[in-house]
Amino acid sequence: MADSSFDIVSKVERQEVDNALNQTAKEISQRYDFKGVGASISWSGDKILMEANSEDRVKAVLDVFQSKLIKRGISLKALEAGEPQLSGKEYKIFATIQEGISQENAKKVAKIIRDEGPKGVKAQVQGDELRVSSKSRDDLQTVIALLKGKDFDFALQFVNYR
C-alpha cells in the first residue's frame, strides 16, 4: 500500500487580507474617534501602509485591522507589523503578510516530528512547504495533533491530506 501524506504550509488567502483591509478602511472612515486624525490604511506594493497623525491613532488602526483579520480566519502570526515611525507630521506603520515556511522553520518542524512523533513518519522539506508521509494514517493524525499543540511563531496549515 502507498504511503499516506499531507503538506504543512504557511499560506494566506490574499483576497481575505484585501477584504479585511477594505473593512478596516471603511470602519476608520466612519468611526468618530478617527475623525480629523488623517487615519488611513492601504496597500503600498506588497506592504500594508497605515497612517495617522498620532502614534496612538496609528496603533488603533493596526488594532482594528488585526481584529478584521481574526474575523476572517487569518492568523495574526502571518502579519508582520513594524513599529510606528514618524514621517513628517504623520506616523506610519508598515506591515507585511508572511507566506511560506522558511528553511530554518521547516527544519525545526521536521525535527519535532522526528523527535516527538510516531516512528516511521518521514518529513521532507519541499521549497517553502513540508511533506509528511507515513504508512499509517493514524500516525499522520497524531503528527497533526502534536503540531497543533506546539506554539510556533508562524502560521501553519495542513493541506493535501491523502
Side-chain angles (χ1 to χ4, degrees):
M1 188 177 138
D3 282 4
S4 299
S5 69
F6 68 90
D7 295 333
I8 301 173
V9 297
S10 183
K11 288 192 167 61
V12 175
E13 188 81 31
R14 171 85 176 195
Q15 185 60 51
E16 290 295 335
V17 174
D18 205 35
N19 291 342
L21 187 133
N22 292 333
Q23 285 180 333
T24 303
K26 185 174 182 181
E27 184 171 323
I28 289 169
S29 70
Q30 293 174 343
R31 266 181 43 181
Y32 178 76
D33 58 335
F34 285 115
K35 293 277 188 257
V37 297
S40 68
I41 182 168
S42 61
W43 285 104
S44 174
D46 280 348
K47 294 184 177 189
I48 298 165
L49 171 64
M50 291 163 261
E51 297 177 300
N53 65 3
S54 75
E55 190 172 344
D56 290 341
R57 288 294 97 200
V58 79
K59 284 183 178 175
V61 172
L62 176 61
D63 192 45
V64 171
F65 183 55
Q66 288 174 334
S67 71
K68 299 297 180 191
L69 287 174
I70 290 169
K71 283 183 182 169
R72 296 205 150 270
I74 297 172
S75 172
L76 291 183
K77 292 177 181 178
L79 180 71
E80 188 78 32
E83 289 298 311
Q85 301 168 337
L86 184 60
S87 174
K89 292 183 177 177
E90 296 273 301
Y91 280 89
K92 297 180 179 185
I93 293 180
F94 285 99
T96 55
I97 301 295
Q98 301 294 329
E99 290 201 292
I101 303 174
S102 69
Q103 289 291 326
E104 61 198 40
N105 287 337
K107 287 178 183 172
K108 282 183 200 170
V109 174
K111 182 170 174 21
I112 288 172
I113 292 170
R114 265 195 321 275
D115 294 348
E116 301 177 29
K119 297 288 177 236
V121 176
K122 296 184 285 295
Q124 59 203 75
V125 179
Q126 296 181 331
D128 61 352
E129 54 186 50
L130 194 68
R131 164 104 4 119
V132 180
S133 57
S134 172
K135 295 213 178 298
S136 164
R137 287 182 165 230
D138 291 341
D139 287 351
L140 294 180
Q141 293 286 352
T142 306
V143 168
I144 290 174
L146 169 75
L147 294 177
K148 282 185 177 178
K150 298 286 182 191
D151 187 29
F152 295 104
D153 56 349
F154 52 96
L156 290 180
Q157 292 89 33
F158 306 101
V159 297
N160 297 336
Y161 184 78
R162 51 177 164 256

